[in-house]
Structures are given as C-alpha cells and as structure tokens.
Amino acid sequence: MKHYEVNFDGLVGPTHNYAGLSFGNVASLSNAKAISNPKEAAKQGLAKMKSLHDLGLIQGVLAPQERPDLTTLRRLGFTGANAKVLEKAASQSPQALLACYSASSMWTANAATISPSADTQDGRVHITPANLVDKFHRSIEPDVTGAILKATFRDSKYFIHHHHLPSHPDFGDEGAANHTRLCSNYGRAGLELFVYGRSCYDTTRAHPKKFPARQTLEASQAIARLHQLDEDTALFVQQNPDVIDQGVFHNDVIAVGNQNVLFYHEQAFVDAQQLQDDICHRMPETQLHFIEIAERQVNLNDAVKSYLFNTQLVTLNDGSMAIIAPTDCQETPSVKAYLDELLTKNTPIQKIHYFDVKQSMRNGGGPACLRLRVALSEQEVNAINQYTILNDQLFDTLNRWVEKHYRDRLSFDDLRDPSLITESYTALDELTHILKLGSVYPFQQL
C-alpha cells in the first residue's frame, strides 16, 4: 500500500490584520498596526498550495476560524446588537477586539498534533487540537479547530479525535509547530520528536527569561500518552531557552525535519549532540542526515528574519527532497548563499522553491506555519473529506471565493465596521458548502 505525507494549509481568513498580538514573535510585534491586505494574503497562500499540488504532492485545505468572535466578546461583557458590541469593545478594550478579529488560525502548524497510524498502538491516526493557552487570541480557537478537523478527518475507522488538553499553562500545547516526525518512509513506524520550551514541574531545567516558553514538557508527554506512543516512537527534547529569548517562539522557527533528515541551527536545542545520539539509538537501521547550520554560516538573527527553518521540507515523487522557502530567504544574502551551497552537498535536499508569502511573514508566520502535515496510507487519504483536497477546480473556486468576499485593505478602524461581520460570516458560510464541512461555526448554529 502507498503512503504519503499530506500537507493541510490554513486558508487565510477575511479578517487578516496586523495586530501585533504575539509577544515573543519578533515579526508580529514589529509590524503591529500596519495595513493588511486579506485578499492578497489568501491568494498568496492558495498559490503556495497549488504549487505543491503541481509538484505532485497531496495538498489539503483547512477552513479559517469564525471572526469576529462575537461570542467571546459577549462573554467579556460587551452587550447589545452586533454593532454595539464592536463599538464598545473598540473604545473600552481594543486589545480584546483585536484578539477576537485575529486570523491567526491560518497558521495550521499550531492547529493540532497528529500521529500517523504507523506509530500508534491501535493502528489509527490520532488527532489532538492544540489548546494554545499562552496567547488569548489563539486560546479561543481549539473548539472550532476540533470541529473543522472532525469535518475533515471524518471516518472513525481510521481517525481518533481527542479533546484539547486542559486549558492551563502547565499543559501549554502549541501543536505541530513543536513536533517533528522522522522515519525511513511514511508507512513505517517513525520517531516523533516533541520539542518543549520548559517544564512546569521540574524547576531545575533551564527556561527563557525574556519571552515565554509556550510548549511544556508535561503537555508533550500528555499528547504522547493520548496518541498511544511508546518509548520507541516518542522522544522529548528541550529547545534552547536562549533562542526563545531571541524570537524563536516555536521549534519550527529553528528546525525542520522530514523522513531521515533533520535540518537545524546549532543553537536550536539544549544539547544537539545528545539529540543526535538519541535519534541514532532509536533508529539504528535508518541512514540519517543531520544538517546543522553553524552561527558563522547563518547567524541566528538572519535565520529568524528570513525564516530559513520555517520552510517546508518535502519529499518529491522521485524520492529527492525540496525546501519550500519564503522569498525572504532569497533576499537575505547569508541565507541565499547557504542554500545555494546546500544544493551542492550530498544530502537528500536537491531543490529549493521560493514563494512570496509576505502577508503571512509580516504577521510572524512562514511556509511551515501555514501547514499541518500528516502521514497517511492510501486508504486513509481516501477516507478524508475529499472536498478539502486541492485540485485545479477547487483552486479556481477558492480564488473566486476570495475575490468575491475579501477586502484588499484592513486597518484597526475598519474593525469597527459592523458590515465586516456580515462580509466575514457570509464568506465562511459559503466556504462550508464548498468544502462540505457542515455547521462547524457557532454563528451557523444560532
């Protein structure tokens, strides 16, 4: 039976804006309050999806969250008709309004952690939405995320859906942005790397001092238990707290892995050599490639600015690997020089494809942030809601949908406009029919 790694990208929502809500994310903070272009952002994301589809990869689509989240605003005490709720929130708590308008669900690397059936004891795909408790604007996502994932991965014969972890900082879970799977091929049992920033119970472990460590060891361990992983299929490794304090808010900003390749900066982990030793011990029959970039080759600032490691590392149909990189990597001299040299080395990485995703980059997310990946068998692929799998027709349909519903300019003052509620909800309601999701949004159930 054939096995694949399927990428599910998040559609950028109609309320994509630059609110600067993510403390610890340098790009997000530096572009706060800039004018955004939701239409351009959505089309950039779709263009990347289509290009991966054209490369022969299976590409899926995940719907955005309902925004503005009027239910949360009302829970915060803003009452009256919808227009009144927006008006009061804008004047009394603009940060709450920005949070409830955030389109951050576009970064589906944070949507969930997914363990493939080859790794789990019951032989089914296990899915757990991230609770994202560290940031308020993301902590309101998990319930709808879970509904969208259930509407996408429907068949209980193949897919097990868990509730997100308890919404407490001790179990802060940021999803697949801190999760990498290594394997010899997608159909065989692999090694799932759970990267955490701190332990909430073991205070002897190092922790960052400036920016928060969003993923805890305890959350990672809980996910591994839920997913029925054992010591052969789960490995817990600590991210270097010093790089978190330099803007590396998730592990996928400093490392990326695929099959037998782990590509990372020398400062990524507390003990990179121990990590290599542990992986080799767990995978003795796999020819592993550890591609470590030294600070003298690409300094950490350039790596974070360009999102060199927030690239997708994918396996093509000929068995070689390609890096899916933002054009910012091309525009950063040290990074471009390194990637050009990498192609001359004897590694599985043979191609680099650059994509313009600047609307996402300015808000703090590169190509890898935009996708949630899952290894699936041919049967499991066929059990997915097929209306969420990209093809030429769906690509054209979604581009027309964006053109019809999205604005090309959005500022904070525009968020006061009650017509934006109607525009956004109308767009999302139509999208659920395109993707055959059912009633996944709260406004559809009123």
Side-chain angles (χ1 to χ4, degrees), residues 124-403:
R124 289 189 284 183
V125 178
H126 285 250
I127 302 169
T128 302
N131 60 25
L132 301 167
V133 293
D134 189 72
K135 297 288 178 284
F136 172 63
H137 68 288
R138 303 224 62 179
S139 71
I140 60 180
E141 295 177 11
D143 287 334
V144 173
T145 297
I148 291 170
L149 290 171
K150 287 176 182 177
T152 304
F153 301 93
R154 287 177 173 161
D155 194 332
S156 60
K157 177 181 178 182
Y158 298 102
F159 307 113
I160 299 296
H161 292 270
H162 301 280
H163 197 270
H164 58 81
L165 297 182
S167 298
H168 188 279
D170 284 3
F171 294 96
D173 175 31
E174 299 280 314
N178 294 309
H179 175 260
T180 296
R181 181 176 185 260
L182 302 177
C183 60
S184 57
N185 65 65
Y186 295 128
R188 298 188 65 181
L191 180 62
E192 300 188 28
L193 305 184
F194 291 85
V195 183
Y196 63 94
R198 66 182 177 93
S199 169
C200 55
Y201 296 153
D202 183 355
T203 56
T204 65
R205 297 177 189 263
H207 57 84
K209 296 176 174 59
K210 179 181 179 183
F211 292 138
R214 305 183 189 184
Q215 183 82 27
T216 68
L217 169 61
E218 291 74 16
S220 297
Q221 291 170 331
I223 297 292
R225 286 192 294 270
L226 286 170
H227 290 195
Q228 300 182 18
L229 306 178
D230 58 30
E231 61 181 15
D232 292 326
T233 51
L235 179 63
F236 306 98
V237 57
Q238 186 172 7
Q239 186 170 328
N240 181 354
D242 292 336
V243 301
I244 294 175
D245 281 337
Q246 295 179 67
V248 180
F249 53 99
H250 288 138
N251 182 64
D252 67 3
V253 179
I254 199 68
V256 60
N258 175 51
Q259 290 191 320
N260 63 338
V261 174
L262 185 63
F263 179 47
Y264 61 97
H265 194 276
E266 67 174 350
Q267 297 184 44
F269 305 105
V270 167
D271 191 337
Q273 185 57 57
Q274 183 62 55
L275 174 61
Q276 283 194 29
D277 293 344
D278 289 342
I279 294 171
C280 290
H281 177 71
R282 306 286 185 94
M283 305 178 70
E285 298 179 2
T286 302
Q287 183 183 358
L288 295 160
H289 295 264
F290 297 103
I291 304 175
E292 181 180 278
I293 299 185
E295 177 74 9
R296 59 178 171 75
Q297 294 172 293
V298 178
N299 65 53
L300 192 63
N301 181 64
D302 282 355
V304 173
K305 179 181 68 175
S306 66
Y307 271 17
L308 167 60
F309 296 99
N310 198 248
T311 49
Q312 293 175 248
L313 185 55
V314 299
T315 300
L316 304 177
N317 289 335
D318 65 3
S320 68
M321 293 190 192
I323 288 178
I324 308 301
T327 51
D328 302 65
C329 287
Q330 271 184 311
E331 297 158 4
T332 306
S334 65
V335 173
K336 179 62 164 58
Y338 176 84
L339 290 175
D340 287 346
E341 183 181 358
L342 178 62
L343 295 181
T344 70
K345 304 294 185 182
N346 185 28
T347 80
I349 301 172
Q350 298 295 311
K351 299 180 181 68
I352 314 285
H353 297 280
Y354 295 99
F355 294 93
D356 182 359
V357 288
K358 288 197 183 315
Q359 284 288 321
S360 176
M361 289 284 289
R362 290 169 187 157
N363 224 1
C369 284
L370 288 163
R371 65 93 174 92
L372 176 66
R373 55 187 176 170
V374 53
L376 298 170
S377 70
E378 189 170 15
Q379 286 180 330
E380 291 160 352
V381 170
N382 292 334
I384 294 171
N385 172 2
Q386 295 298 299
Y387 292 96
T388 65
I389 300 299
L390 194 74
N391 52 36
D392 291 349
Q393 181 179 351
L394 180 58
F395 175 73
D396 291 340
T397 298
L398 290 174
N399 267 288
R400 290 194 299 271
W401 172 78
V402 169
E403 193 65 42

Side-chain angles (χ1 to χ4, degrees), residues 16 34 67 75 100 116 134 197-198 243:
H16 161 67
R67 293 294 179 268
R75 287 182 64 193
C100 291
D134 189 72
R198 66 182 177 93
V243 301

Side-chain angles (χ1 to χ4, degrees), residues 88-129:
K88 290 177 180 178
S91 61
Q92 297 173 26
S93 184
Q95 286 302 110
L97 181 67
L98 287 168
C100 291
Y101 257 117
S102 174
S104 55
S105 67
M106 63 198 273
W107 298 306
T108 53
N110 299 120
T113 303
I114 301 182
S115 294
S117 56
D119 296 351
T120 63
Q121 292 175 21
D122 67 356
R124 289 189 284 183
V125 178
H126 285 250
I127 302 169
T128 302

Side-chain angles (χ1 to χ4, degrees), residues 54-71:
D54 290 345
L55 286 172
L57 304 176
I58 301 176
Q59 176 68 56
V61 177
L62 288 181
Q65 297 274 317
E66 171 188 320
R67 293 294 179 268
D69 184 344
L70 294 172
T71 300

